[in-house]
């Protein structure tokens, strides 16, 4: 469709054309600006100011677009005949190409935005989850047990940023470095979300020139791996770490770390468990005597660490096929890594003709023998197994390493219990702090990490099956049996709060008594303090047990003492 050119006054031109029909969203997407090129000019003389005519009715309906945008959209419809005068051609030139491109880009962006909104699905990111109040109650119970154990052993709390300089984290985790979450350039710094709590702790020690410390840290970490919700493996998860930094006599701090793992798993009552122990020096000495090239130590170690998850046949096939290891070398490794036992196995390997000739392996075996002596004094050797297949893939470990696994009851009599997943792990890392120190000064460290997510999954399943989970810690609900007792309820609950009692009341002036009782049952609140006309006259408070429904009148001045007594007994 073409526009028409008419003459309003001598020496002036006017364009008129039908306007395109647009949706309100498209019309509103372009901002309004005064136009330096009015499409309709007045008949003022050459020395008089020009006036813009008000927008047409169609423009008002479609929204506050700039005149450049209107002209850009109208251009395809306005192809003037060649016979038009030069004045009309000049008027067309007034509409600049950038205005048309701007309008088209804004329309395209709006359409794409509308399409994205229509496809949007509200959910949590992959590998993450929300925790309900009931789930948080379980998590807090687990964390309280873990932290109380850490404090019992003299640790102090520490916190570090959720993200670190990328350079701090890289080349510390071996093959797992690819799982680090990188962040975009922020103000000239390359950053990454922390992968664990150990490397930030080492950075903290080096940065503050601390040579001795016993600390615990509870916080979230992030790993870009394939999540498995059923196995309690997420991309965002919580870790509970305990570490001892400083120069001490051999194996004494290491033994305490194993004792802490033992105490935590016992306190959480997760079932039967086993703590596997090895030493990186023994592992590397074994590789050396078997003939593994130095440049393949890391890769062979990663393969060995899979032995608990896949069979030896598959591990050997990976070594020979994928890593190009000689078959006889793989067989030599297989003889060693399929052995596990106690201190007797340590003594046996000390007499091994090959391992006893390797300095690294000999140091590791002697330290393990000393460690077993200390564990015997702590009374936990029945839960400790010297396992030569334990490798721990992180590059920063230098000595003793350990991992706790829960054991599954064997299906048949005489079979050994099967491991169903790691719930705690750790080891010694004597060189990590020195990697951050400008002068390379080392601070020996040993520590452990409790796998809260996997423990949480197990405890949650058991609690859901055996008991009702209380999502609140409220001990008593202040209730009224009749109307117009709001002031009395508020006076009583203020008194309970001041005494340190966890109390609630409903936020209604006159809630029904049945509604208040249902609230207690839903939230798992054990007691109800009831005020009514009769109780007010008698100077008592009726205390009701939600479970047994037993009611007892307690003198008003004794109600705090009675509630505290009942809570201490429960």
């Amino acid at each position: 469709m073409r526009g028409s050119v008419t003459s309003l006054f001598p020496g002036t031109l006017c364009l008129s054309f039908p306007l395109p029909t647009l949706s309100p969203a498209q019309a509103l997407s372009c901002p309004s600006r005064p136009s330096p090129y009015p499409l309709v000019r007045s008949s003022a003389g050459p020395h008089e100011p020009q006036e813009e005519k008000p927008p047409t009715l169609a423009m008002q309906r479609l929204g506050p677009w700039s005149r450049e945008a209107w002209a850009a959209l109208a251009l395809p419809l306005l192809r003037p005949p060649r016979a038009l005068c030069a004045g009309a051609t000049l008027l067309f030139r007034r509409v600049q190409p950038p205005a048309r491109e701007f309008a088209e880009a804004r329309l395209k962006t709006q359409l794409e935005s509308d399409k994205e909104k229509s496809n949007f699905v509200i959910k949590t990111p992959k590998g993450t989850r929300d925790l309900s109040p009931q789930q948080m109650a379980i998590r807090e119970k687990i964390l309280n047990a873990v932290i109380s154990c850490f404090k019992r052993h003299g640790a102090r709390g520490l916190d570090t940023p959720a993200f670190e300089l990328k350079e701090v984290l890289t080349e510390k985790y071996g093959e797992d470095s690819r799982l680090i979450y990188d962040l975009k350039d922020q103000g000239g710094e390359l950053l990454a979300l922390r992968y664990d709590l150990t490397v930030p702790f080492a950075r903290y020690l080096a940065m503050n020139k601390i040579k001795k410390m016993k600390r615990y840290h509870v916080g979230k970490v992030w790993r870009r791996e394939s999540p498995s919700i059923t196995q309690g493996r997420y991309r965002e998860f919580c870790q509970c770490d305990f570490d001892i930094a400083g120069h001490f006599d051999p194996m004494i701090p290491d033994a305490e770390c194993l004792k802490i793992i033992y105490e935590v798993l016992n306190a959480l009552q997760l079932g039967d468990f086993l703590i596997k122990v090895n030493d990186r020096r023994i592992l590397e000495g074994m590789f050396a005597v078997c003939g593994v090239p130095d440049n393949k130590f890391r890769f062979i170690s990663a393969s060995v660490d899979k032995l608990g998850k896949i069979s030896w046949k598959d591990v050997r096939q990976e070594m020979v096929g994928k890593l190009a290891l000689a078959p006889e070398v793989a067989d030599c490794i297989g003889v060693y890594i399929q052995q596990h036992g106690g201190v007797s196995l340590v003594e046996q390997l000390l007499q091994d003709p090959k391992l006893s000739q390797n300095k690294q392996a000999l140091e590791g075996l002697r330290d393990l023998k000393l460690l077993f002596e200390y564990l015997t004094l702590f009374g936990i050797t029945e839960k400790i197994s010297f396992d030569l297949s334990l490798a721990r893939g992180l590059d920063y470990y230098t000595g003793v390493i350990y991992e706790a696994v829960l054991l599954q009851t064997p299906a048949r009599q005489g079979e050994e219990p099967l491991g169903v997943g790691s719930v705690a792990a750790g080891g010694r890392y004597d060189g990590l702090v020195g990697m951050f120190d400008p002068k390379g000064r080392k601070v020996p460290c040993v520590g452990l990490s409790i796998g809260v997510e996997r423990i949480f999954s197990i405890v949650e399943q058991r609690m859901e099956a055996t008991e009702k989970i209380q999502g609140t810690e409220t001990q008593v609900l202040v209730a009224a049996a009749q109307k117009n007792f709001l002031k009395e309820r508020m006076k009583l609950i203020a008194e309970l709060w001041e005494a340190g009692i966890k109390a609630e009341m409903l936020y209604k002036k006159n809630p029904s008594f049945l509604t208040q009782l249902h609230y207690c049952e839903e939230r798992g609140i054990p007691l109800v303090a009831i005020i009514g006309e009769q109780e007010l006259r008698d100077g008592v408070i009726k205390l009701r047990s939600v479970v047994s429904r037993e009611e007892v009148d307690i003198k008003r001045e004794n109600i705090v003492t009675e509630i505290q007594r009942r809570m201490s007994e429960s």
Side-chain angles (χ1 to χ4, degrees), residues 58-72:
M59 289 182 181
Q60 290 176 341
R61 287 177 179 173
L62 288 173
W65 279 39
S66 67
R67 289 179 182 267
E68 296 100 315
W70 282 115

Side-chain angles (χ1 to χ4, degrees), residues 293-368:
D294 292 350
N295 62 349
K296 291 187 178 181
F297 273 21
R298 176 190 291 184
F299 307 107
I300 298 301
S301 178
S303 296
V304 168
D305 203 38
K306 297 176 184 178
L307 185 57
K309 306 174 184 69
I310 60 177
S311 66
W312 161 244
K313 181 181 178 181
D314 293 331
V315 172
R316 183 184 184 279
Q317 185 176 355
E318 180 177 303
M319 288 180 178
V320 176
K322 185 178 178 181
L323 302 176
L325 194 67
E328 62 273 13
V329 175
D331 292 336
C332 179
I333 293 172
V335 172
Y336 286 110
I337 66 172
Q338 295 183 77
Q339 299 183 62
H340 54 85
V343 67
S344 58
L345 178 59
V346 177
E347 293 173 345
Q348 176 185 326
L349 293 176
L350 280 169
Q351 305 301 319
D352 185 90
K354 292 182 178 179
L355 281 181
S356 60
Q357 300 303 312
N358 183 276
K359 184 180 178 181
Q360 266 192 309
L362 198 59
E363 289 176 356
L365 288 167
R366 286 171 177 168
D367 278 349
L368 270 190

